[in-house]
Every structure is written in C-alpha cells, then in structure tokens.
Amino acid sequence: MMGPSHALSGATVWLAGTWALDHFAGYEQSPLAVAVGALVCAGGALLPDLDLSGKVTRNQGGATVARTFGVFSLFVAEVIEKVSLGIYTATRLSRDPRRTNGHRTFTHTLPFAALLGWLTTWVCGHYGKWAVVGVVFFTAGLALRGLFDKWAERAGWVIVTICSAVIAWFTAANLPGDRGYPMLGFAVAVGCVVHLFGDMITSAGVPILWPIPTGRRLWRMVGVPNGMAIKVGGKVETVVLRTGMVTVSLIAIAGIFAPGLLQRFEID
C-alpha cells in the first residue's frame, strides 16, 4: 500500500474502534482525545515504512514517512533501514534469501508493533505531558504527510513541521497534565498492525509470523494469493479502498458525536 492509504486506514480503524467502545461499552472520550488518538494511529500506520530510506544528502527518495521532516527523518530512516537489515542478516535461516536492504523486515513484524507501543506508553507514563507532546508532534507530522500527501509535497517539510508543532502546542494547552495517556501507545501499536495488514493484501506480503520458523525460513513473506492481491497505487487501492475508508470514518464520527443522525438512517 501507498503512504496515504496506510495513514487513512489507521485513522479509520481508530475512529471505528472509538465508536464501538462508545456504543457498546459506554467509553466516552472528548473530541480532542478522539482527534489526537486518530492522528496518532494514522501516524503510527506509517511508522513501519521507516525502514525504506532515501538519499539523505539530497533530501530525496524514501517512503512517505521518511520524507516527513526532511533530512532529519531521512537520516532516521537510513539508520532504521540498516538496523533492520542487520537484524535480518543475523537471524536469517538457510532458506531465507540474502538481502541488501532492510525494507519489509523487522519493522514489518508484530514484535516491532508491540515494542513500539510499549515504549510509547512507558515514555509517556514516565515523563508525562511533555513526552505526550513529543509523541503527538512526531505522529502528527507523519499523519499530515500521509493523509494530505499532495499538499505536504507542495508545502514542503518545513511547513509540515510547523503544522505539527502547532498541533502539539494545542494538545499541550488543552490536555490535562496529570496523566500518562497509555492509549497513545495503544494507538501507535494499532497503527503499526494496521499497516501490516495493509501490506499483506499486496503481492509482496510481510513477515507476519516472525520470529516463528517455518520450513527453514524465519522471514517468510505472508500475504494473500497473487490473484487476490491489489496493485499498489492501482484503482482498487486509490479509489475503492480509500472511498470505503473515508465512508467508514465519516459514519464513525457521526456515531460518536451525532448518534441521532445515524438513527434517522437506521445505521445505529
């Protein structure tokens, strides 16, 4: 999947889950909490692609997420790509092919999603409000880069960074400071998992079973059969799937904040 689809899928899953919690468990959240959660989950849904680096010195290439903060995020992506390749090389079994890059390896696994979610929760709980602001700043930048890719491409990484800072400042000014917000870690982890499922419906697949060995392979790429796989950037992804996700998101938002509207259409 392309970056915009990943980001949109993260936001959609979070909004739908929030609606379900509100409707079936009575777990209500403020509009700001819902917006921040959706934004963090959308950004988290781009994090696995930090293993696809570009050219740092030229500020070129890389995945959508790698270009979010210009050369700074490209450098981070370069490091993560090399670390991921190192993990792959150190753990590969006899039937795992040799690789020269780390894309779709460690960051595309369930342990990575769990680790990142736990780390986010720990940092926010240990360092409090300012850690929360930092998480919101970083993930908001990723979400803006993914959800509004054409605008972000034209505006440039400096404008995206400024917008992320404004969102983080607004969050700091309005969220209570006496909580660790463990839901942020959950949102990051959910976003990463949603990314994995998004890549699994393409022909490349992801090593979703890692680190469980199968047939003398530790990094087996798992995905849907080629005949069912969607083409990355094709009409099914950019039109059908994105239209469906936008529709679900709008219904979920209405269900959270205007349930009476859905009752008129017998959707509730």
Side-chain angles (χ1 to χ4, degrees):
M1 269 190 169
M2 299 175 68
S5 300
H6 281 307
L8 183 57
S9 67
T12 300
V13 168
W14 190 261
L15 289 171
T18 300
W19 178 28
L21 281 175
D22 182 27
H23 184 71
F24 296 107
Y27 184 79
E28 297 183 2
Q29 299 181 62
S30 68
L32 179 59
V34 174
V36 169
L39 204 63
V40 171
C41 196
L46 285 168
L47 281 169
D49 274 346
L50 271 176
D51 64 357
L52 181 56
S53 60
K55 298 178 180 178
V56 176
T57 56
R58 299 181 185 178
N59 190 19
Q60 293 178 347
T64 299
V65 62
R67 300 192 299 274
T68 301
F69 300 107
V71 294
F72 303 101
S73 51
L74 280 169
F75 175 76
V76 171
E78 185 76 22
V79 172
I80 292 179
E81 189 270 328
K82 293 297 186 291
V83 171
S84 297
L85 178 60
I87 294 173
Y88 177 89
T89 303
T91 60
R92 61 182 288 268
L93 298 181
S94 59
R95 290 194 174 180
D96 287 314
R98 294 184 180 276
R99 297 185 58 137
T100 58
N101 67 81
H103 182 47
R104 290 204 181 189
T105 55
F106 177 64
T107 63
H108 285 70
T109 65
L110 291 175
F112 173 80
L115 176 64
L116 206 59
W118 171 83
L119 183 61
T120 303
T121 299
W122 180 84
V123 167
C124 291
H126 191 73
Y127 294 101
K129 187 173 184 177
W130 290 112
V132 172
V133 171
V135 170
V136 172
F137 167 76
F138 183 67
T139 53
L142 306 186
L144 290 174
R145 190 66 176 80
L147 293 172
F148 308 103
D149 60 315
K150 293 183 179 179
W151 165 81
E153 192 71 36
R154 292 193 303 268
W157 68 270
V158 173
I159 299 300
V160 172
T161 301
I162 292 173
C163 291
S164 302
V166 171
I167 293 172
W169 171 82
F170 184 81
T171 301
N174 290 277
L175 284 182
D178 57 349
R179 298 167 55 190
Y181 296 97
M183 288 293 281
L184 289 184
F186 184 64
V188 169
V190 169
C192 290
V193 173
V194 170
H195 181 108
L196 301 187
F197 284 113
D199 279 350
M200 284 180 67
I201 63 175
T202 66
S203 58
V206 296
I208 194 74
L209 300 177
W210 189 88
I212 301 173
T214 57
R216 287 185 287 177
R217 293 188 65 177
L218 201 63
W219 296 91
R220 184 179 298 278
M221 295 295 176
V222 179
V224 300
N226 288 337
M228 299 174 57
I230 67 168
K231 180 182 178 182
V232 176
K235 294 295 184 182
V236 173
E237 177 189 346
T238 59
V239 178
V240 178
L241 290 183
R242 290 185 190 178
T243 300
M245 288 187 285
V246 169
T247 302
V248 172
S249 295
L250 293 175
I251 293 174
I253 291 172
I256 297 168
F257 300 114
L261 181 63
L262 295 187
Q263 289 176 355
R264 293 181 181 180
F265 296 94
E266 298 182 353
I267 297 178
D268 193 10

